Amino acid sequence: MEPGLEELMPRLLPVGDCDLAEDFDPTVPPRTPQEYLKRVQIEAARCPDVVVAQIDPRKLKKKPTVNISLSGCQPAPEGYSPTLKWQQQQVANFSAVRQSLNKHRNHWRSQHLDSNVAMPKSEDEEGWKKFCLGERVYSEIDALSDNENLGIDYLKVGFPPLLSIVSRMNQATVTSVLEYLISWFGEKKFTPELGRWLYALLACLEKPLLPEAHSLIRQLARRCSEVRALEESKNEELMSALNLIICLVSRYFDQRDLADEPS
């Protein structure tokens, strides 16, 4: 460190010149306060004036998603707002599912996966979308051919959120996959495959929620309310699934400002 710069820095302790023995070795642990202070001075002098962080450019490929909306969910269309009793029952059912999952997690984690189940790495966004939704939904193919209907090809229809699969996912992976699917849902339609995985991932989220997970589930509830409001056919099964997700986010995870008003 240059003497001029050192003089501009405030001294927290009045440290004078250290009288040290000629055989002082700064590489060994200090034996006296003077040796410790001298060692700190030497290490500080060796620090570079400018430090450049090494950034992995692969992590910058994905544009960050910023959601600054502070509004609540859009109200349900007339006649489709769930009753308070229905919402309370869904919360009770969901709580029981979570308790069962936590109780038997170690058992299901120890079960062998089928040879065709290859779980993607946590950071593989496209891999997880294909794994959960299947090639048919991912590639937006409307229907399977007759030959494909002869048997289940999970690569095409997506792997269901089996307990043996979700029990192997740590919280970081659960949050990542939830983010991938919510991002997908932000631009695509709601499908049964998506609904099953969203429910399973919510069941795997640990409370209290991390800030990232908190933001994600609020974004999910808002998106469900948008799709529900724009749904023209008012499909009963679809509306019920959207109501369920909004209910769990708002009432189980305590985001009450997003809750549907009882009909």
Side-chain angles (χ1 to χ4, degrees):
M1 182 181 297
E2 298 179 6
L5 294 177
E6 186 176 1
E7 292 175 0
L8 296 176
M9 299 176 66
R11 292 179 178 271
L12 299 181
L13 295 173
V15 180
D17 295 333
C18 299
D19 296 329
L20 302 175
E22 294 181 358
D23 61 346
F24 169 68
D25 185 357
T27 62
V28 301
R31 294 166 295 180
T32 66
Q34 289 77 15
E35 289 185 359
Y36 170 76
L37 293 173
K38 186 63 177 178
R39 183 173 179 177
V40 171
Q41 292 174 347
I42 294 174
E43 291 178 352
R46 292 174 178 172
C47 292
D49 294 334
V50 178
V51 178
V52 179
Q54 299 298 322
I55 300 176
D56 186 352
R58 294 174 298 178
K59 296 182 179 180
L60 300 178
K61 290 183 178 180
K62 180 181 177 182
K63 296 181 179 179
T65 300
V66 179
N67 183 9
I68 60 175
S69 174
L70 300 178
S71 61
C73 287
Q74 298 185 28
E78 185 176 355
Y80 290 92
S81 180
T83 65
L84 179 59
K85 182 178 180 180
W86 183 88
Q87 293 182 68
Q88 291 172 337
Q89 185 60 55
Q90 302 312 312
V91 169
N93 294 343
F94 184 68
S95 179
V97 169
R98 284 172 60 90
Q99 292 176 12
S100 178
L101 176 60
N102 290 331
K103 182 178 180 181
H104 301 290
R105 185 183 300 274
N106 290 334
H107 166 74
W108 288 108
R109 185 182 295 146
S110 65
Q111 300 302 302
H112 294 292
L113 295 175
D114 291 341
S115 58
N116 65 328
V117 181
M119 295 175 61
K121 294 182 179 179
S122 180
E123 65 275 11
D124 185 0
E125 178 174 356
E126 299 306 311
W128 273 110
K129 289 177 182 177
K130 294 178 182 179
F131 183 88
C132 299
L133 305 175
E135 289 284 355
R136 181 176 63 87
V137 173
Y138 182 83
S139 302
E140 299 183 281
I141 301 174
D142 292 333
L144 299 175
S145 67
D146 293 338
N147 291 334
E148 289 173 330
N149 285 326
L150 297 176
I152 298 178
D153 185 345
Y154 286 115
L155 295 178
K156 289 185 171 60
V157 301
F159 289 91
L162 303 174
L163 290 174
S164 55
I165 292 177
V166 298
S167 295
R168 285 173 162 80
M169 299 168 65
N170 58 29
Q171 282 300 290
T173 301
V174 169
T175 304
S176 294
V177 178
L178 188 60
E179 179 182 5
Y180 302 153
L181 295 183
I182 292 174
S183 175
W184 167 272
F185 184 34
E187 300 177 354
K188 307 292 183 179
K189 63 182 181 180
F190 188 90
T191 67
E193 296 85 355
L194 176 65
R196 285 192 291 267
W197 268 99
L198 290 175
Y199 187 94
L201 292 171
L202 289 176
C204 293
L205 275 182
E206 295 179 358
K207 296 178 71 174
L209 295 176
L210 295 174
E212 182 179 1
H214 177 271
S215 176
L216 283 172
I217 65 171
R218 289 182 64 84
Q219 180 182 344
L220 172 61
R222 291 193 186 100
R223 175 57 179 163
C224 286
S225 74
E226 292 173 1
V227 174
R228 183 179 63 180
L230 296 173
E231 173 61 23
E232 296 180 355
S233 65
K234 299 298 185 289
N235 178 281
E236 291 280 354
E237 186 175 348
L238 172 61
M239 300 296 279
S240 179
L242 297 172
N243 284 345
L244 174 58
I245 294 177
I246 296 172
C247 169
L248 297 180
V249 170
S250 61
R251 299 194 179 273
Y252 183 86
F253 291 102
D254 302 317
Q255 308 302 307
R256 296 306 174 96
D257 61 306
L258 303 179
D260 282 317
E261 293 297 330
S263 59

